[in-house]
Amino acid sequence: MQKKRIAVIFGGKSSEHEVSRVSASYVISMIPEDKYEIVKIGITKKGRWFLFEGDTSLIADGSWENDPGNRTAFVSPAPSVSGIIVVNKDGSTEKLKLDVVFPVLHGKNGEDGTVQGLLQLSEIPYVGCGVLASSACMDKIVTNIMFEHAGIDQAKFTWIYSYDYEKDPEACISMIESQIPYPIFVKPANAGSSVGISKAHSREELVKAIEVASAEDNRLLFEECIVGKEVECAVLGNRDTFVSVPGEIAPAAEFYDYDAKYNNSASQLFIPARISEELTEKLRDTAAKAYRALNCEGLSRVDFFVTDDGRILLNEINTLPGFTSISMYPKLMASSGIPGSELIEKLIDLAFERADNNV
Ligand SMILES: Nc1ncnc2c1ncn2[C@@H]1O[C@H](COP(=O)(O)OP(=O)(O)O)[C@@H](O)[C@H]1O
Ligand SMILES: [Mg+2]
């Protein structure tokens, strides 16, 4: 059987560029080389695309960027190419057909429907959510509105445009305070990895938090602070979904901020989460419901809060969750009977399945 050619895209113009490199190294290590020829495409932080033919070990720390063999390469939107155009050093170009793409990109310009849109145009099957689910899940305001419509419980929320705040800060502050009690979580609609998120305990802190969040986006979300466990489910599938056992994160910091996520190993994981069987079942059902409500396909990690009095509140859906050897998504799947290499193969199969169903 001829090998299929899979491209793994990593890096990206995103605040989660570094995490993506580590995720991609893991994903590449799990792709069976007897079945697939792997093409590695790196995107720098500035947004330059390269075909990287060096050793996979150079991806995680970013040193791949210094490889003298790197050639500019980009996915063509033309279905007639259905692959990448590689620019040689002498300026000539080559086409390289791809059978499937795994965009291992987190955050903006990769997890948000942009790259998915390009792959859609190119008619190359790709792993993970499509354009709509990717962009809807990246935007915390849109996600909350969709959850509300689907009747899924979540923290009380409201939102504003940052330029309305600049025009009339007083009015915005009173509107927010009239709806949400302190402490208030302030989040840019589009960010990821806790960038720009703060917890405001007073009006003074709220003003600061708005400034911080405004640096990331011009739409800002305000949420009631939920006291409870952070519990996550890994979901896999297109029309039929498989939901993993739930896992719990006990953050070392006051909340699960960027530092706690990636720099501080003191955050603890519990798999399965320390919740009752009844809550576990309810949580898994809600995860599947939220996944469907947002039109997710392929994979997503669905994140909840579980309060001590047994309420389940949805926090967010990550359509391309962290995929490193210590990440929750692969760990939850492994604990549910789907180890890394099998998981990657299933994800690739789901990409083909969706492409077949969409014609
Ligand atoms: N409404 C909330 N109540 C309590 N904690 C929250 C709330 N929203 C966010 N957090 C904390 O902040 C972290 C990051 O927020 P989240 O919305 O998940 O953004 P990100 O997309 O950056 O992961 C969460 O993991 C949690 O620890
Ligand atoms: Mg989160």
Side-chain angles (χ1 to χ4, degrees), residues 170-204:
E170 293 289 315
C172 288
I173 297 271
S174 11
M175 186 282 287
I176 298 159
E177 285 180 340
S178 72
Q179 304 211 27
I180 322 271
Y182 286 104
I184 300 172
F185 261 89
V186 182
K187 308 180 185 181
N190 276 277
S193 275
S194 306
V195 176
I197 298 184
S198 16
K199 184 173 170 182
H201 301 81
S202 62
R203 185 175 290 195
E204 207 186 350

Side-chain angles (χ1 to χ4, degrees), residues 140 155 185 187 191-195 197 223-227 230 232 251 254-257 261 301 303 305 315-316 318:
K140 294 182 188 302
F185 261 89
K187 308 180 185 181
S193 275
S194 306
V195 176
I197 298 184
E223 279 181 4
E224 151 199 30
C225 177
I226 306 296
V227 180
E230 293 193 46
E232 313 184 333
E254 187 179 354
F255 68 92
Y256 202 38
D257 59 10
K261 276 179 186 164
R301 199 190 68 221
D303 298 354
F305 299 110
N315 177 28
E316 61 161 345
N318 290 285

Side-chain angles (χ1 to χ4, degrees), residues 222-265:
F222 303 86
E223 279 181 4
E224 151 199 30
C225 177
I226 306 296
V227 180
K229 293 189 167 78
E230 293 193 46
V231 181
E232 313 184 333
C233 283
V235 186
L236 178 71
N238 292 338
R239 293 174 188 186
D240 302 316
T241 50
F242 172 79
V243 184
S244 74
V245 295
E248 176 187 342
I249 296 159
E254 187 179 354
F255 68 92
Y256 202 38
D257 59 10
Y258 190 89
D259 220 44
K261 276 179 186 164
Y262 304 113
N263 301 332
N264 189 334
S265 56

Side-chain angles (χ1 to χ4, degrees), residues 205-334:
E205 286 184 14
L206 179 62
V207 169
K208 269 204 205 104
I210 291 175
E211 277 165 22
V212 172
S214 300
E216 302 297 324
D217 201 341
N218 61 21
R219 287 160 62 255
L220 312 177
L221 173 67
F222 303 86
E223 279 181 4
E224 151 199 30
C225 177
I226 306 296
V227 180
K229 293 189 167 78
E230 293 193 46
V231 181
E232 313 184 333
C233 283
V235 186
L236 178 71
N238 292 338
R239 293 174 188 186
D240 302 316
T241 50
F242 172 79
V243 184
S244 74
V245 295
E248 176 187 342
I249 296 159
E254 187 179 354
F255 68 92
Y256 202 38
D257 59 10
Y258 190 89
D259 220 44
K261 276 179 186 164
Y262 304 113
N263 301 332
N264 189 334
S265 56
S267 294
Q268 268 183 296
L269 302 189
F270 295 94
I271 302 173
R274 297 166 301 172
I275 56 173
S276 69
E277 230 166 81
E278 194 189 333
L279 276 179
T280 298
E281 276 326 294
K282 197 170 157 209
L283 197 90
R284 293 174 80 171
D285 286 350
T286 312
K289 187 173 168 187
Y291 189 89
R292 284 184 68 90
L294 272 294
N295 192 30
C296 293
E297 290 166 313
L299 78 157
S300 286
R301 199 190 68 221
V302 185
D303 298 354
F304 298 88
F305 299 110
V306 178
T307 66
D308 288 343
D309 59 359
R311 284 191 308 150
I312 289 177
L313 302 161
L314 220 146
N315 177 28
E316 61 161 345
I317 299 184
N318 290 285
T319 54
L320 225 132
F323 228 112
T324 71
S325 59
I326 57 155
S327 297
M328 199 56 135
Y329 189 92
K331 274 184 178 258
L332 289 177
M333 281 298 169

